[in-house]
Amino acid sequence: MIAFLASAAANPPPSQGAQQAVGYPSLFLLVVLGSLIPVVPTGAIVSSAAVVAFHQTDPFALLGVFCVASFAALLGDIGLYVLGLRGVRSRNGSRWLHRLQARVDEHTLAAAQHRLDEHGAAVLVLSRLLPAGRIPVMVACLMSEMPLRRFVRGDVPACLAWAATYQLIGILGGSLFPEPWQGVALAVGLTFAIAAGPAVVRHFRH
């Protein structure tokens, strides 16, 4: 998706409508996939899409990216949470629940559970914005068997804030350079730097 956006930015097709017809479904599918399988760099994808939309003449292109990204993130989170809840309620657990738990160490999970006890579902907003913060809080919600309806109420503003944040990164990249592909490169670099930040901090602490 990032390669596609960079190519589209460097060599835009004759019709922006055709570009949006391909870009929006791709953005939706990859953000949903990245929410279900936390290895796809969804933040970089949203930022790159925002750069391309920033350089389009369509005044609603950026709004389209925001709506598609936030809705896709919400659906992906709901899907992952439902799969996790099934594991919690099952006697033998589930593959999805075990995979989520394997990604969180005991100290991080304990901290997430403490924040969840203090702030409730509101902590989902912060977890979406912090690098590597989403999965620990989701596991904490699963361990406390938070009802799906309550989880969704907290996750809606979280996904909106997440989409807005990464779209702003894309708008920044798009506004600094005359060529869209340059803005895509900057936006991708920034999102990967943000994602790698906690790992770098932990490395130097050790």
Side-chain angles (χ1 to χ4, degrees):
M1 177 63 181
I2 295 175
F4 166 77
L5 290 168
S7 175
N11 302 288
S15 170
Q16 289 185 359
Q19 181 176 324
Q20 292 173 356
V22 175
Y24 287 154
S26 300
L27 174 64
F28 177 82
L29 290 175
L30 283 175
V31 172
V32 170
L33 179 64
S35 298
L36 287 170
I37 306 173
V39 293
V40 179
T42 51
I45 292 170
V46 174
S47 296
S48 301
V51 173
V52 176
F54 180 82
H55 285 277
Q56 291 181 353
T57 57
D58 183 358
F60 298 105
L62 284 170
L63 178 62
V65 170
F66 172 76
C67 292
V68 170
S70 55
F71 183 59
L74 178 63
L75 284 184
D77 282 357
I78 292 174
L80 187 59
Y81 195 74
V82 168
L83 292 170
L85 274 180
R86 288 182 179 179
V88 170
R89 293 166 180 171
S90 172
R91 180 177 300 177
N92 299 320
S94 70
R95 180 179 60 182
W96 288 94
L97 179 61
H98 295 155
R99 285 181 177 177
L100 289 174
Q101 291 174 322
R103 296 177 64 90
V104 184
D105 60 77
E106 293 183 3
H107 175 75
T108 304
L109 179 59
Q113 290 173 326
H114 178 70
R115 290 195 298 269
L116 183 64
D117 292 339
E118 284 190 339
H119 306 290
V123 76
L124 288 166
V125 177
L126 183 60
S127 73
R128 255 288 180 181
L129 298 178
L130 289 176
R134 183 174 72 101
I135 297 303
V137 171
M138 183 176 287
V139 172
C141 292
L142 289 169
M143 293 299 97
S144 65
E145 296 191 40
M146 177 184 291
L148 177 61
R149 183 176 299 179
R150 185 184 175 198
F151 174 82
V152 172
R153 285 201 301 266
D155 201 46
V156 167
C159 291
L160 293 174
W162 172 82
T165 299
Y166 281 98
Q167 184 163 0
L168 285 174
I169 293 175
I171 293 173
L172 174 64
S175 64
L176 291 178
F177 297 98
E179 295 296 331
W181 68 267
Q182 296 172 318
V184 169
L186 176 62
V188 171
L190 284 175
T191 52
F192 275 103
I194 292 171
V200 173
V201 171
R202 286 194 299 268
H203 173 76
F204 282 104
R205 282 181 177 176
H206 288 313

